[in-house]
Amino acid sequence: MSYIGNAPVVQAMRVTTELVATAGQTDIYPLGGYTPGDYLDVEINGAALKSNDYTATDGIKIVLAVALSAGDDIRVKAY
């Protein structure tokens, strides 16, 4: 059976990682990593971070500019 419309591709998938921070945490390791240069959304306690609030260059970890507090909710969406 053929597909009508835009075929879904792997690059169009979103992987969401949700974590709870430890005191002083600056590194986040999203599940499955991410592709450097692609869309990446990082949220702390529901607030979206700007791209200058973190560094994401190696596809494995995200380094935050400011350390987190224990119990902060982290959500990373990698597309």
Side-chain angles (χ1 to χ4, degrees), residues 20-62:
V20 176
T22 58
Q25 180 177 348
T26 57
D27 295 347
I28 302 170
Y29 295 88
L31 297 174
Y34 60 91
T35 303
D38 282 349
Y39 294 107
L40 188 64
D41 296 330
V42 181
E43 299 174 6
I44 305 298
N45 296 324
L49 299 183
K50 294 181 181 180
S51 60
N52 60 348
D53 293 330
Y54 61 89
T55 303
T57 57
D58 66 2
I60 299 169
K61 73 178 176 181
I62 298 168

Side-chain angles (χ1 to χ4, degrees), residues 12-25:
M13 294 180 66
R14 177 181 75 187
V15 177
T16 302
T17 302
E18 294 181 345
L19 305 165
V20 176
T22 58
Q25 180 177 348

Side-chain angles (χ1 to χ4, degrees), residues 3 5-15 38 78-79:
Y3 185 82
N6 293 328
V9 293
V10 174
Q11 294 85 353
M13 294 180 66
R14 177 181 75 187
V15 177
D38 282 349
Y79 297 87

